[in-house]
Amino acid sequence: MNITFIGGLFPDENMDFFRTHSKGIFQYAADVLQKNIIKGLENNVNQAINVITVPFLGDFPKACDLKVVNEEKWQNKGGQIHQVGFKNIKFLNEFSKYNALKKALENQFVKEKNEVDTIVIYGMFSYFLKLTAYIKKVLPDVKICMIVPDLPHLMGADNNKPHIKLYNTYTKSVVNRNIKHIDSYIFLSKYMEDYLNTNKPFDIIEGIYNTNEKNITESKEVLPTIFYSGTLALRYGIERLLESFASIKNDELRLWICGAGDGEEMVKEYSKKDNRIIFKGQLDRSEILKLQRKATLLINPRDGKDEFTKYSFPSKTIEYLSSGTPTILYKLKGIPEEYYDYCYTCDSDGYEGLRDTIIEVLDISKDERDIMGERAKKFILNNKNETVQSGKIIKLIKTLS
């Protein structure tokens, strides 16, 4: 089975380079998920996966200081990672990425005649959707599996802004024109299938655990420490977390926060007023994983009131539970029900509800909390690892032949 993966991961050789040139949010979660998918595919087919990537960088000049991304290629365990080159200027980069991807496909599969049975594409971006038409034109027998981590109109931007509305209209037209070329789907939430209203085969992969992380061990903090890592978005409940923590009268309690986003200034303001709140900025993923294991309690303050939570699965859910550190979550429609057997949930509204849940969980004996954390870790390790989850893609591909 000859599989090519097309996505936006950062090649390991350029990870530090892209991180240095990025401003604000860096797409760690998307990068990790793509690499886990590829690793799982390779485990299932026992051969290297050909990778073509157009790194998910922010636009120049606001979110990245790279005006141009250079083309580069690496050999990887018998396979190739091809980073296409493109102009990274806002609005123009959409067309530049499409042309670069088209050229890469033409060189690899038309001119060089490399073998390919299936192309797995990560993300419903306009340049990927337009690429499906080209694939079917030059490689009509190749099957396309589209991984949908986010719906196009819910990719984090402010949909009330005129230029975002215009862009969403454009993207919707691209989806409508090209969705017929996609043969199968992988969704992160079952509700995505209802929204796209497709009759094509699909399966659900809400997230993937990387088994390389199972050997990370750290000693616990002496003081009770709550930890949040991820996008500091106001719509993700960061203000509710800050308010709930600030209202707890316990001088020994600590709150660590890592990340970047539109709630960053608010976090800094709270940390100035309350020395128990420690803002650590945007750290390397390896440091995040260590801090998760050192903490007493992990928390995701995102509640299920907003419509977008139906179509998303917070990547930190698997990351948190796999750490072995007890976790508090809200119940979100996009999180499968089975996960809630392995965490504590906040079922009350407002910052008071979250505050009370934190206090209740901290009042549970350490032994009981440790049992919950270990159960969660085993659940993720055994059921959500890269081989099990990516195996769903292989099964889906086989139904198309």
Side-chain angles (χ1 to χ4, degrees):
M1 185 179 291
N2 296 295
I3 301 173
T4 287
F5 179 94
I6 299 178
L9 61 84
F10 303 109
D12 292 341
E13 293 82 354
N14 276 347
M15 188 76 171
D16 291 338
F17 173 77
F18 287 133
R19 186 167 48 227
T20 301
H21 288 278
S22 294
K23 307 172 186 178
I25 298 171
F26 191 73
Q27 297 294 335
Y28 282 112
D31 183 70
V32 170
L33 181 54
Q34 290 174 87
K35 289 174 180 175
N36 286 344
I37 289 169
I38 292 167
K39 181 183 176 185
L41 290 173
E42 291 177 339
N43 289 348
N44 275 280
V45 300
N46 198 30
Q47 66 185 71
I49 300 298
N50 181 49
V51 176
I52 301 174
T53 182
V54 50
F56 289 156
L57 291 166
D59 301 326
F60 175 89
K62 188 175 181 180
C64 180
D65 62 18
L66 291 173
K67 201 178 219 178
V68 174
V69 174
N70 294 324
E71 179 181 22
E72 295 186 68
K73 296 179 182 178
W74 299 271
Q75 292 302 121
N76 181 41
K77 297 183 296 185
Q80 178 180 261
I81 297 177
H82 181 182
Q83 173 186 296
V84 302
F86 61 94
K87 294 181 177 65
N88 195 38
I89 301 168
K90 193 174 181 65
F91 299 121
L92 294 179
N93 53 10
E94 295 278 321
F95 304 100
S96 181
K97 290 173 182 178
Y98 168 70
N99 289 328
L101 288 163
K102 183 178 174 181
K103 180 181 177 183
L105 287 172
E106 182 181 11
N107 287 337
Q108 287 194 32
F109 304 118
V110 179
K111 293 180 180 179
E112 297 174 12
K113 298 188 183 302
N114 294 321
E115 293 185 7
V116 58
D117 306 309
T118 302
I119 294 179
V120 177
I121 301 177
Y122 181 94
M124 292 196 82
F125 295 96
S126 61
Y127 45 89
F128 287 154
L129 287 160
K130 289 193 290 185
L131 194 67
T132 62
Y134 177 74
I135 291 170
K136 288 299 185 179
K137 178 181 177 181
V138 298
L139 302 166
D141 295 328
V142 168
K143 301 300 181 183
I144 298 174
C145 178
M146 174 72 76
I147 299 174
V148 187
D150 294 288
L151 294 175
H153 70 295
L154 295 175
M155 292 189 181
D158 185 351
N159 290 325
N160 294 317
K161 293 182 179 179
H163 71 282
I164 298 298
K165 287 183 178 180
L166 184 63
Y167 179 77
N168 284 343
T169 300
Y170 162 72
T171 302
K172 186 175 181 180
S173 69
V174 174
V175 171
N176 292 340
R177 287 198 308 272
N178 295 287
I179 200 169
K180 62 187 176 184
H181 304 304
I182 301 168
D183 300 295
S184 64
Y185 293 89
I186 292 293
F187 297 128
L188 265 70
S189 162
K190 64 182 180 180
Y191 296 99
M192 287 178 166
E193 196 271 338
D194 297 334
Y195 182 88
L196 291 174
N197 194 27
T198 175
N199 59 358
K200 300 293 180 66
F202 73 92
D203 208 334
I204 308 295
I205 298 178
E206 70 280 4
I208 299 179
Y209 171 65
N210 182 353
T211 52
N212 289 339
E213 295 170 358
K214 65 183 177 182
N215 295 322
I216 300 173
T217 57
E218 291 290 328
S219 299
K220 291 292 184 183
E221 286 291 295
V222 175
L223 294 177
T225 303
I226 298 167
F227 182 51
Y228 170 83
S229 59
T231 303
L232 303 183
L234 295 175
R235 70 174 185 158
Y236 290 171
I238 192 66
E239 182 174 11
R240 183 168 48 252
L241 173 59
L242 291 165
E243 287 181 345
S244 65
F245 181 86
S247 68
I248 299 175
K249 306 304 179 185
N250 182 341
D251 291 338
E252 292 192 338
L253 199 58
R254 297 290 181 268
L255 173 62
W256 293 345
I257 295 180
C258 295
D262 61 12
E264 186 173 335
E265 289 305 313
M266 181 180 291
V267 174
K268 291 178 180 177
E269 287 301 314
Y270 267 84
S271 67
K272 289 176 184 177
K273 294 183 291 185
D274 187 339
N275 60 13
R276 301 175 304 161
I277 300 173
I278 301 165
F279 177 51
K280 294 179 176 288
Q282 188 165 219
L283 301 180
D284 183 81
R285 176 174 163 77
S286 61
E287 291 302 312
I288 295 289
L289 297 178
K290 290 177 183 178
L291 292 175
Q292 288 172 357
R293 285 153 177 79
K294 293 176 74 172
T296 308
L297 189 62
L298 306 179
I299 192 164
N300 185 359
R302 187 190 305 190
D303 65 20
K305 290 182 179 179
D306 292 322
E307 181 73 5
F308 76 88
T309 61
K310 287 175 59 177
Y311 307 110
S312 66
F313 177 89
S315 60
K316 67 174 60 64
T317 305
I318 285 179
E319 201 175 273
Y320 278 7
L321 296 182
S322 67
S323 71
T325 300
T327 297
I328 293 177
L329 303 176
Y330 283 86
K331 287 197 171 185
L332 309 180
K333 289 185 177 180
I335 298 179
E337 192 67 27
E338 62 180 335
Y339 281 82
Y340 298 117
D341 290 333
Y342 303 96
C343 67
Y344 301 103
T345 58
C346 178
D347 303 315
S348 303
D349 294 335
Y351 81 89
E352 298 97 337
L354 184 55
R355 176 199 63 201
D356 294 344
T357 301
I358 292 172
I359 293 172
E360 288 170 11
V361 174
L362 289 175
D363 282 343
I364 296 171
S365 71
K366 179 181 180 301
D367 288 345
E368 190 175 337
R369 293 200 308 264
D370 287 347
I371 290 171
M372 174 69 86
E374 280 303 309
R375 286 181 61 247
K377 184 176 181 178
K378 289 178 181 178
F379 164 69
I380 297 297
L381 178 61
N382 294 333
N383 300 283
K384 306 299 176 181
N385 64 67
E386 59 275 274
T387 305
V388 170
Q389 294 290 69
S390 290
K392 296 177 183 179
I393 301 175
I394 301 300
K395 291 178 183 176
L396 194 59
I397 290 170
K398 287 180 177 178
T399 67
L400 303 176
S401 56

